[in-house]
């Protein structure tokens, strides 16, 4: 029953953010401005190539972190395929099921990695992801002195996200980490742990390049630190994803985040649409590549997702 109400609360917040996006669209959607901005971006193919290259590098760093956590046993290609498959699936399905497919890729390609190790590694690395984003988000709030200008919608969403995250971490991590305590201790203590955190943290900084370069091409530029903060707030908001790739959620949170540092809502809304479009393009391109390199039947993916959901439900009982 408690799990039911927790899921309902998360769903209500998700719907609230989607409604915020619809309101933004009603007031600020400008087809001509979006078209002009789109032409500005694609008229600089070299800049677009740089964006894609840096974005890819961010996922390579995530793959390195995963390989390190698993004591260097899996191939880097497996780790990268798993990460890119996860990205692709999250942009195809309305829920964040990518991690379940990421685990499936690791289990099927690397026989030396036990299933529980694969699961444990993804849980821990996701926790590090969230910790990195939270650090960036709160650092930015204090660094940029974001107070009154902060939108009520974004404040409520961020507060709710923090509460849900704490509940999930309190309930899930101790049990999961207890199952693989020795792996966690061996990996995260010492040099490897530092490298894993640095690779993960840096990967999120690199992802902000999509926002930074896009804004340079179509609007008054912001600083790299501001771009990192806006990206961290936007990605953290994806915990409430209920649409493929977090459509509507991404745009609403980014528009309000940009507004918080002085960008008008219409420009912020347009930037959010374009940067999200670029990320969708990258996810589908990378998804096509990994499907060619290591094809997985759609039925197999659905089975992995269903099995993962069943396990989650069992844990809640």
């Amino acid at each position: 029953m408690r799990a039911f109400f927790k899921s309902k609360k998360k769903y209500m917040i998700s719907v609230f953010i989607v409604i915020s996006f619809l309101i933004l669209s009603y007031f600020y959607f400008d087809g001509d401005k979006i078209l002009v901005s789109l032409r500005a971006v694609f008229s600089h193919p070299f800049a677009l190539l740089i964006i894609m290259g840096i974005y890819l590098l961010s996922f390579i760093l995530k793959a390195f972190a995963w390989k390190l956590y698993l004591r260097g046993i899996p191939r880097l290609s497996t780790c990268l395929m798993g990460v890119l498959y996860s990205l692709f699936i999250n942009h195809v399905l309305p829920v964040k099921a990518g991690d379940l497919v990421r685990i499936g890729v690791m289990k099927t390609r690397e026989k030396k990695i036990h299933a529980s190790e694969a699961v444990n590694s993804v849980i821990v690395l996701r926790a590090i992801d969230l910790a990195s984003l939270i650090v960036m988000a709160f650092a930015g709030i204090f660094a940029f002195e974001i107070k009154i200008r902060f939108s009520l919608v974004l404040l409520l969403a961020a507060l709710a996200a923090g509460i849900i995250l704490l509940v999930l971490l309190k309930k899930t991590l101790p049990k999961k980490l207890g199952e693989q305590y020795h792996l966690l201790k061996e990996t995260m203590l010492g040099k490897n742990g530092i490298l894993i955190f640095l690779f993960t943290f840096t990967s999120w900084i690199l992802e902000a390049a999509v926002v930074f370069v896009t804004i340079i091409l179509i609007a008054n530029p912001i600083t790299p630190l501001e771009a990192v903060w806006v990206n961290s707030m936007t990605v953290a908001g994806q915990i409430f994803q209920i649409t493929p790739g977090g459509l509507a959620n991404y745009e609403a949170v980014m528009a309000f985040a940009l507004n918080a540092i002085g960008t008008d809502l219409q420009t912020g809304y347009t930037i959010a649409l374009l940067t999200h479009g670029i990320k969708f393009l990258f996810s589908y391109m990378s998804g096509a590549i990994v499907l060619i390199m290591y094809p997985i039947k759609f039925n197999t993916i659905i089975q992995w997702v269903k099995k993962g959901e069943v396990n989650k439900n069992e844990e809640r009982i």
Side-chain angles (χ1 to χ4, degrees):
M1 185 63 70
R2 290 171 59 190
F4 172 80
F5 282 110
K6 287 175 186 176
S7 63
K8 284 294 182 182
K9 287 178 183 177
K10 180 178 177 180
Y11 182 76
M12 288 173 64
I13 295 170
S14 302
V15 171
F16 180 63
I17 296 175
V18 171
I19 292 174
S20 300
F21 167 74
L22 295 176
I23 294 173
L24 283 172
S25 299
Y26 177 79
F27 285 106
Y28 298 113
F29 181 86
D30 185 336
D32 291 335
K33 183 172 183 177
I34 292 173
L35 186 59
V36 169
S37 300
L38 194 62
R39 286 173 178 168
V41 172
F42 282 91
S43 65
H44 295 84
F46 184 67
L48 190 59
L49 187 62
I50 290 176
I51 291 175
M52 293 293 191
I54 295 177
Y55 197 31
L56 174 61
L57 181 58
S58 73
F59 289 104
I60 292 175
L61 288 182
K62 286 181 173 65
F64 265 118
W66 196 12
K67 179 180 175 67
L68 279 176
Y69 186 83
L70 291 171
R71 307 180 304 281
I73 295 174
R75 290 163 288 177
L76 180 62
S77 60
T78 297
C79 296
L80 185 57
M81 283 183 188
V83 169
L84 293 179
Y85 253 116
S86 176
L87 176 72
F88 175 61
I89 295 301
N90 284 339
H91 282 77
V92 173
L93 299 181
V95 293
K96 274 188 169 294
D99 283 342
L100 300 174
V101 179
R102 176 177 173 178
I103 293 168
V105 171
M106 178 61 69
K107 290 192 297 184
T108 55
R109 277 181 58 90
E110 301 293 337
K111 303 304 180 183
K112 293 183 179 180
I113 300 296
H114 193 273
S116 60
E117 290 181 321
V119 173
N120 169 263
S121 66
V122 172
I123 291 174
V124 173
L125 290 174
R126 274 305 184 193
I128 296 174
D129 281 333
L130 289 170
S132 299
L133 292 170
I134 289 172
V135 168
M136 292 178 185
F138 278 99
I141 290 174
F142 289 107
F144 306 133
E145 298 182 352
I146 297 171
K147 297 176 182 177
I148 299 175
R149 288 188 300 166
F150 223 82
S151 165
L152 178 61
V153 174
L154 188 57
L155 277 175
L156 290 174
L159 178 61
I163 294 173
I164 291 176
L165 175 61
L166 288 175
V167 171
L168 291 176
L169 290 179
K170 183 178 179 181
K171 183 176 181 180
T172 304
L173 280 180
K175 180 180 178 180
K176 292 295 183 181
L177 298 184
E179 296 172 356
Q180 294 291 326
Y181 174 75
H182 292 296
L183 173 62
L184 177 69
K185 182 179 179 181
E186 177 186 342
T187 305
M188 295 307 296
L189 292 181
K191 181 180 177 181
N192 266 12
I194 295 173
L195 287 176
I196 289 168
F197 182 80
L198 286 178
F199 281 155
T200 304
F201 196 85
T202 304
S203 73
W204 290 114
I205 293 176
L206 291 177
E207 183 170 331
V210 178
V211 179
F212 180 67
V213 178
T214 302
I215 293 177
I216 288 177
L217 295 177
I218 68 173
N220 294 326
I222 61 177
T223 68
L225 289 178
E226 287 174 331
V228 169
W229 179 76
V230 168
N231 185 72
S232 66
M233 293 295 295
T234 304
V235 177
Q238 300 302 289
I239 189 175
F240 299 108
Q241 175 179 332
I242 56 172
T243 56
L247 275 171
N249 180 305
Y250 179 102
E251 286 78 6
V253 176
M254 178 171 284
F256 287 122
L258 285 167
N259 183 247
I261 58 173
T263 304
D264 65 275
L265 277 174
Q266 185 176 48
T267 300
Y269 173 85
T270 303
I271 290 169
L273 285 175
L274 289 179
T275 56
H276 207 190
I278 292 172
K279 289 185 177 182
F280 260 91
L281 177 62
F282 178 89
S283 69
Y284 289 147
M285 289 173 59
S286 60
I289 292 172
V290 293
L291 279 169
I292 293 172
M293 294 180 65
Y294 188 65
I296 301 174
K297 293 181 180 179
F298 183 72
N299 288 339
T300 301
I301 291 175
I302 296 300
Q303 287 175 5
W304 286 345
V305 173
K306 287 183 177 179
K307 184 178 180 181
E309 291 301 322
V310 167
N311 290 339
K312 287 179 183 177
N313 291 332
E314 289 175 349
E315 288 170 6
R316 294 189 185 113
I317 296 174

